[in-house]
Amino acid sequence: AQTVTQSQPEMSVQEAETVTLSCTYDTSESDYYLFWYKQPPSRQMILVIRQEAYKQQNATENRFSVNFQKAAKSFSLKISDSQLGDAAMYFCAYNDMRFGAGTRLTVKP
Amino acid sequence: ETGVTQTPRHLVMGMTNKKSLKCEQHLGHNAMYWYKQSAKKPLELMFVYSLEERVENNSVPSRFSPECPNSSHLFLHLHTLQPEDSALYLCASSQGWRVVPYEQYFGPGTRLTVT
């Protein structure tokens, strides 16, 4: 079974600084997709970024980027120039079925 | 807004009640999902409906019963729930399922409390 582990239940970052959220997963498949979703307080979960396993280049979306290490089965999310609006729960997901427990990110002004 | 709506947003029910959660998507998607979100636990996929195919997580108790009358609507029927069923129930939709893992669009969730 594919499992997704987010080892940081909570993280904190100063506004304008950079923070990295960790995610590891377990799989025997060679082709798959990985996602990071953001769930702001009392708001709907939305997609932040997506990575296809066969692509070696790390995905980037504005201030959000990933460090995808396929051999290590690691998929971390880096948020640069953190903003107050980045405060949320962040979920890592494997394909469209397996999610981690989430990391609660606090952004300090 | 993501194009996925859920009603009610909050629900308190006793263990002997029967209630239903409703989800509607306005995105023309072909797959719909029910998830259970409990604090400090991985988001748990409960059911998937895709083009008349239904897939369920075998660990979901039978007191949860899904219904998908068409590709735009999804229901979760609840009966004789337990206090441990209290959680946020999320609905999601996507263009398809399993062929290519598409991005999912989530609803705001129903906060369920079982007393």
Side-chain angles (χ1 to χ4, degrees):
Chain A
Q2 296 91 4
T3 58
V4 178
T5 302
Q6 293 179 249
S7 59
Q8 308 152 315
E10 296 182 357
M11 289 284 285
S12 178
V13 63
Q14 205 71 33
E15 194 176 6
E17 297 293 309
T18 295
V19 64
T20 299
L21 308 184
S22 301
C23 174
T24 59
Y25 57 94
D26 181 33
T27 184
S28 58
E29 298 177 336
S30 59
D31 195 16
Y32 48 87
Y33 291 71
L34 295 164
F35 303 83
W36 277 100
Y37 285 88
K38 170 185 177 182
Q39 186 181 38
S42 301
R43 293 180 62 188
Q44 292 167 244
M45 187 148 23
I46 58 173
L47 179 72
V48 174
I49 200 164
R50 160 179 153 155
Q51 174 80 43
E52 297 167 56
Y54 67 87
K55 290 187 177 179
Q56 293 189 344
Q57 186 173 8
N58 289 325
T60 299
E61 287 287 341
N62 300 316
R63 297 182 294 107
F64 298 87
S65 61
V66 299
N67 183 3
F68 174 49
Q69 302 289 329
K70 190 173 184 179
K73 297 178 183 175
S74 170
F75 181 59
S76 60
L77 174 70
K78 186 172 84 170
I79 305 174
S80 304
D81 185 25
S82 296
Q83 301 175 0
L84 296 178
D86 295 334
M89 282 289 289
Y90 286 83
F91 291 92
C92 176
Y94 173 96
N95 280 347
D96 47 11
M97 292 184 65
R98 303 287 177 178
F99 283 73
T103 296
R104 182 175 300 281
L105 178 66
T106 302
V107 181
K108 297 179 178 178
Chain B
E1 297 301 323
T2 62
V4 180
T5 59
Q6 288 186 245
T7 54
R9 296 291 306 275
H10 300 272
L11 178 63
V12 179
M13 59 185 290
M15 289 191 283
T16 58
N17 291 159
K18 291 184 180 181
K19 296 287 185 183
S20 296
L21 310 184
K22 179 182 177 181
C23 176
E24 185 173 359
Q25 58 98 358
H26 312 275
L27 302 168
H29 287 168
N30 292 316
M32 297 188 76
Y33 312 73
W34 278 117
Y35 288 91
K36 178 182 179 182
Q37 183 177 2
S38 303
K40 300 182 180 179
K41 292 184 179 179
L43 208 59
E44 178 187 358
L45 179 64
M46 302 175 71
F47 302 101
V48 182
Y49 276 87
S50 178
L51 296 174
E52 300 182 359
E53 176 190 6
R54 168 179 151 178
V55 176
E56 56 188 271
N57 182 340
N58 290 331
S59 67
V60 175
S62 59
R63 54 186 182 266
F64 294 91
S65 174
E67 178 188 1
C68 191
N70 54 61
S71 60
S72 299
H73 295 86
L74 183 65
F75 295 89
L76 187 63
H77 303 300
L78 318 171
H79 64 97
T80 59
L81 294 191
Q82 302 299 309
E84 60 264 29
D85 297 323
S86 298
L88 183 67
Y89 288 84
L90 296 173
C91 174
S93 71
S94 67
Q95 287 181 274
W97 182 66
R98 229 204 291 245
V99 175
V100 174
Y102 292 101
E103 166 190 358
Q104 294 185 44
Y105 292 74
F106 285 83
T110 295
R111 174 67 64 184
L112 174 66
T113 303
V114 181
T115 60

